[in-house]
Amino acid sequence: MNNVHDLQPTLDRAAAAVSSPPDESVIAQALLGVEKCMMDLVNSDVEVLRDASRHIIGAGGKRVRPRLALLAFFAAGGTSADLKDVTAIAAAVELIHTASVVHDDINDHGVLRRGRPSVNALWGRTFALLTGDFLFTKVFELIAPYGIYNTILAEATTALVEGETLQASAVKNRQFTRETYYRIIGLKTAALFRAAAMLGAKCSGASERDIQALGEFGFNIGLSFQIVDDVLDVVGSPEQLGKTSGIDIAQGRGFAVAYENENGQIVEHDDTAADPMISIRKDVLAGTALEEARVQARRFVREAIEGISHLPESAARTELMALAESVVERDF
Amino acid sequence: MNNVHDLQPTLDRAAAAVSSPPDESVIAQALLGVEKCMMDLVNSDVEVLRDASRHIIGAGGKRVRPRLALLAFFAAGGTSADLKDVTAIAAAVELIHTASVVHDDINDHGVLRRGRPSVNALWGRTFALLTGDFLFTKVFELIAPYGIYNTILAEATTALVEGETLQASAVKNRQFTRETYYRIIGLKTAALFRAAAMLGAKCSGASERDIQALGEFGFNIGLSFQIVDDVLDVVGSPEQLGKTSGIDIAQGRGFAVAYENENGQIVEHDDTAADPMISIRKDVLAGTALEEARVQARRFVREAIEGISHLPESAARTELMALAESVVERDF
């Protein structure tokens, strides 16, 4: 994996993953442009940065954020002839997310990510830290010329870091309540989803009202996406998810923990038990936390869909609504 | 240290450190503006980010980068009436450096920084990683509206991360030669010095020729600054330097290591010796590496000074030249 010099296999794999067959959809073609933009951007004379970046980008992932940006662009009236800006923005959004997962895997000791060994696992902590920094700085090089877009994206990135930090603080101080949970996921996940949708819409020259509506749509499906992610962390296996699972309960966080904390079921878990994870997981699976999580996630999706119903009917609007549904119905 | 809510004592300390008395100098006043800009910028509802950021910013440091930006601004014709942009740029440059030292201290296990415990030592690795990320993202929020300045600064930040990575790679692969050393310090230190000086000059509306000349000046004193830093890491004590010293030789890097590697004196050090650090340090001190380093550093300072001799004579130009001299003559 230390010799990723040829882009083509990665791009082919991305093409296959994005849609089947890719030429059925304008979005699939546009997403290929996003892949290429990301892979080109992280080229560097410093081999380890290039290789580690392409390793994690080439692993694929759901690409829900760039898809959201592109669909918002088309739903707000953008055309295929004018994809340059939205491609850069979509790549920037995905790379911000990617940088954050590289750093997350250091803090969480995650060894599996997107079905591959994490950067941390392959290159070690020092290079993982620097690769995450590199991805952040390359994003800001990419979007430096974009003025106001730049401010929106920088603010969303700050929110992401604040959300991650608030989460670590709440765990440390054993204050992982439901109120804190919603504040955390608003910052660490939904803010970037909102930025993706707003900026996609902005690139199409949409009205301020449509930009705001699509931003709100993004925020709501971001909340929903994160809640479902937290459910899957409890119920899913590493094979299904392509990443280390069970981390949330082990670390005292996630929807289930917030729910159980507030319902007095998990106040403090016994670190000295043979495997506290197994017994807590059993409690969570037996309880109502996960059902409650799905209910909340569906509520946000409903709000999301209602919020863009005023947009003119289009294939992109239909796909946006389908994206919202898929966020809550997914199994990985 | 977890309760840094009142800015005034920090600003007072900064005022005292910058110059004595501060009203003697326009630069000292401008540097106070930079301190305030940095402290205000890192305000956050997430307490640990605000506190850890203000802890490291409030520790002071030499402020050579913002000083360089401000002096370049004045030397290229800028006036006190028009400090807004250059203040933001100078703060951004100093914060990029600050973010990088917070992350460095994770990778190097540094426990002392600017005479205070490092963020890593006080808040632990997870929060130190997130604080560094936060400082990077806040910088990009700050400079998002600055267009082309933004591109220059983002590129310098990428160079910094590349330089740090190249250094870690060269150490790991035992390829720490003099050629690699110069490439490393060009990227990790001199590129940001160049950006500071160029952007300072740009803010004054200078000609392209003067911007380039001041950029070259910055690059040269950046090289010189880093060489002297590496000398001081060998000869200085933690008390003098305000940071953990002796790290470079312990990690197999720095000017002395590059010099000795190429002169066949340190090929591989014996990790199993009782304290390999002490014997290597003795060899280096007895040899010519440190004298050679000082000679090189002085050469870059001379080039730097010659390169701005065409600028009109001014107090700022005189201070720039004095800054260049001080970089190489300093003891901490």
Side-chain angles (χ1 to χ4, degrees):
Chain A
M1 72 289 168
N2 275 320
N3 204 10
V4 196
H5 296 122
D6 183 8
L7 283 182
Q8 208 47 54
T10 303
L11 292 173
D12 290 347
R13 196 163 52 243
V18 159
S19 169
S20 166
D23 62 347
E24 273 188 25
S25 155
V26 175
I27 296 293
Q29 282 299 330
L31 277 168
L32 278 181
V34 173
E35 296 297 324
K36 185 168 173 0
C37 176
M38 292 193 289
M39 283 296 199
D40 288 348
L41 183 71
V42 300
N43 198 6
S44 169
D45 291 341
V46 181
E47 288 177 21
V48 58
L49 291 175
R50 182 194 59 212
D51 294 347
S53 297
R54 289 187 176 170
H55 168 82
I56 180 72
I57 295 167
K62 292 175 282 292
R63 303 295 193 240
V64 57
R65 294 162 188 80
R67 182 182 289 273
L68 173 60
L70 291 167
L71 287 173
F73 170 79
F74 285 112
T79 68
S80 300
D82 203 23
L83 281 173
K84 189 173 159 281
D85 289 358
V86 73
T87 299
I89 294 294
V93 167
E94 184 64 13
L95 286 176
I96 288 166
H97 167 62
T98 305
S100 82
V101 302
V102 170
H103 280 181
D104 275 3
D105 283 337
I106 298 174
N107 284 337
D108 293 348
H109 309 279
V111 293
L112 191 65
R113 176 64 70 174
R114 299 175 178 171
R116 289 188 180 185
S118 67
V119 174
N120 191 39
L122 283 183
W123 281 273
R125 201 181 67 191
T126 294
F127 290 116
L129 199 162
L130 291 163
T131 299
D133 287 353
F134 175 70
L135 291 170
F136 276 129
T137 64
K138 291 305 285 188
V139 166
F140 289 106
E141 257 188 73
L142 176 66
I143 60 167
Y146 287 91
I148 178 66
Y149 297 9
N150 207 349
T151 300
I152 291 172
L153 209 44
E155 283 172 359
T157 310
T158 297
L160 187 162
V161 175
E162 288 181 323
E164 296 283 353
T165 308
L166 188 59
Q167 174 172 278
S169 292
V171 167
K172 193 177 166 218
N173 304 327
R174 295 176 180 272
Q175 290 173 335
F176 208 94
T177 61
R178 240 185 291 188
E179 189 190 332
T180 307
Y181 174 77
Y182 281 111
R183 212 178 133 211
I184 289 167
I185 68 171
L187 288 166
K188 83 167 184 174
T189 307
L192 189 58
F193 273 71
R194 174 165 53 200
M198 282 180 72
L199 292 174
K202 255 188 186 304
C203 289
S204 77
S207 70
E208 197 51 41
R209 184 189 168 210
D210 286 355
I211 291 168
Q212 291 303 326
L214 282 159
E216 193 65 19
F217 173 87
F219 193 80
N220 277 316
I221 72 165
L223 293 175
S224 174
F225 181 89
Q226 188 58 53
I227 292 170
V228 172
D229 229 49
D230 293 343
V231 169
L232 293 171
D233 186 75
V234 177
V235 304
S237 66
E239 294 72 35
Q240 263 181 304
L241 303 178
K243 63 181 176 185
T244 312
S245 69
I247 289 181
D248 287 344
I249 290 179
Q251 305 237 348
R253 71 191 186 199
F255 186 94
V257 171
Y259 182 90
E260 302 286 2
N261 273 348
E262 229 149 80
N263 289 274
Q265 289 172 43
I266 302 180
V267 176
E268 224 167 277
H269 68 263
D270 180 5
D271 294 323
T272 62
D275 189 347
M277 265 291 295
I278 292 176
S279 73
I280 294 169
R281 190 166 176 271
K282 236 173 81 184
D283 288 351
V284 169
L285 289 172
T288 55
L290 296 184
E291 189 40 40
E292 176 67 15
R294 291 266 190 202
V295 168
Q296 292 299 328
R298 285 198 195 94
R299 189 166 65 80
F300 289 121
V301 165
R302 218 164 36 241
E303 277 183 35
I305 289 174
E306 282 167 17
I308 58 164
S309 56
H310 73 283
L311 291 179
E313 217 179 295
S314 70
R317 196 192 72 166
T318 306
E319 284 200 56
L320 265 182
M321 290 175 174
L323 178 70
E325 298 285 1
S326 75
V327 156
V328 71
E329 299 307 336
R330 69 202 169 98
D331 291 319
F332 67 94
Chain B
M1 72 288 166
N2 275 319
N3 203 11
V4 195
H5 295 121
D6 183 6
L7 283 183
Q8 208 48 55
T10 304
L11 292 174
D12 290 347
R13 195 164 51 243
V18 160
S19 170
S20 165
D23 61 348
E24 274 188 23
S25 156
V26 175
I27 296 294
Q29 282 297 329
L31 277 168
L32 278 180
V34 173
E35 296 297 323
K36 186 168 174 353
C37 176
M38 292 193 289
M39 283 297 199
D40 288 349
L41 183 72
V42 300
N43 199 7
S44 169
D45 292 341
V46 181
E47 287 177 23
V48 59
L49 291 175
R50 181 192 61 212
D51 294 348
S53 297
R54 289 188 176 169
H55 168 82
I56 181 72
I57 295 167
K62 291 174 282 289
R63 303 297 194 239
V64 58
R65 294 162 189 81
R67 183 182 290 272
L68 174 60
L70 291 166
L71 286 174
F73 171 79
F74 285 113
T79 68
S80 300
D82 202 23
L83 281 173
K84 188 172 159 284
D85 288 358
V86 73
T87 298
I89 294 295
V93 167
E94 184 64 13
L95 286 175
I96 288 167
H97 167 62
T98 305
S100 82
V101 302
V102 171
H103 279 181
D104 274 2
D105 283 338
I106 299 173
N107 285 337
D108 293 347
H109 309 281
V111 294
L112 190 64
R113 177 63 71 173
R114 298 175 179 172
R116 290 187 178 184
S118 67
V119 173
N120 190 40
L122 282 181
W123 280 274
R125 202 182 66 191
T126 294
F127 289 118
L129 199 162
L130 291 163
T131 299
D133 287 352
F134 176 70
L135 291 170
F136 277 128
T137 65
K138 291 304 286 189
V139 165
F140 289 106
E141 257 188 74
L142 176 66
I143 60 167
Y146 287 91
I148 178 66
Y149 297 10
N150 208 349
T151 300
I152 291 172
L153 210 44
E155 284 172 357
T157 311
T158 297
L160 187 160
V161 175
E162 289 182 322
E164 294 283 354
T165 308
L166 188 59
Q167 174 172 280
S169 292
V171 167
K172 193 177 166 221
N173 303 328
R174 296 178 182 270
Q175 290 173 333
F176 208 94
T177 61
R178 240 185 291 186
E179 190 191 331
T180 308
Y181 174 77
Y182 281 110
R183 209 176 136 212
I184 289 168
I185 67 171
L187 288 165
K188 83 166 184 175
T189 308
L192 189 57
F193 274 71
R194 175 167 51 202
M198 281 181 73
L199 292 174
K202 254 188 186 307
C203 289
S204 76
S207 69
E208 196 51 41
R209 184 189 167 211
D210 286 355
I211 291 168
Q212 292 304 328
L214 282 158
E216 193 64 19
F217 173 88
F219 193 80
N220 277 316
I221 72 166
L223 293 175
S224 174
F225 181 88
Q226 188 57 54
I227 292 171
V228 172
D229 230 50
D230 292 344
V231 170
L232 292 171
D233 187 75
V234 178
V235 303
S237 66
E239 294 72 34
Q240 262 181 307
L241 304 178
K243 64 182 175 185
T244 312
S245 68
I247 289 182
D248 287 344
I249 290 180
Q251 304 235 350
R253 71 191 187 201
F255 185 94
V257 172
Y259 182 88
E260 302 285 3
N261 274 348
E262 230 148 83
N263 289 275
Q265 290 174 43
I266 302 180
V267 175
E268 224 167 276
H269 68 262
D270 179 7
D271 293 324
T272 62
D275 190 345
M277 263 293 292
I278 292 176
S279 73
I280 294 169
R281 188 166 177 273
K282 238 174 77 184
D283 287 350
V284 169
L285 289 172
T288 54
L290 296 183
E291 190 40 40
E292 175 67 14
R294 292 268 189 200
V295 168
Q296 292 300 327
R298 284 198 195 95
R299 188 166 65 81
F300 289 122
V301 164
R302 215 163 39 237
E303 276 183 34
I305 289 175
E306 282 167 17
I308 59 164
S309 56
H310 72 283
L311 292 178
E313 217 181 295
S314 70
R317 196 192 73 165
T318 305
E319 283 199 56
L320 266 182
M321 291 177 174
L323 179 70
E325 298 284 1
S326 75
V327 156
V328 71
E329 298 308 335
R330 70 202 171 96
D331 291 321
F332 66 94

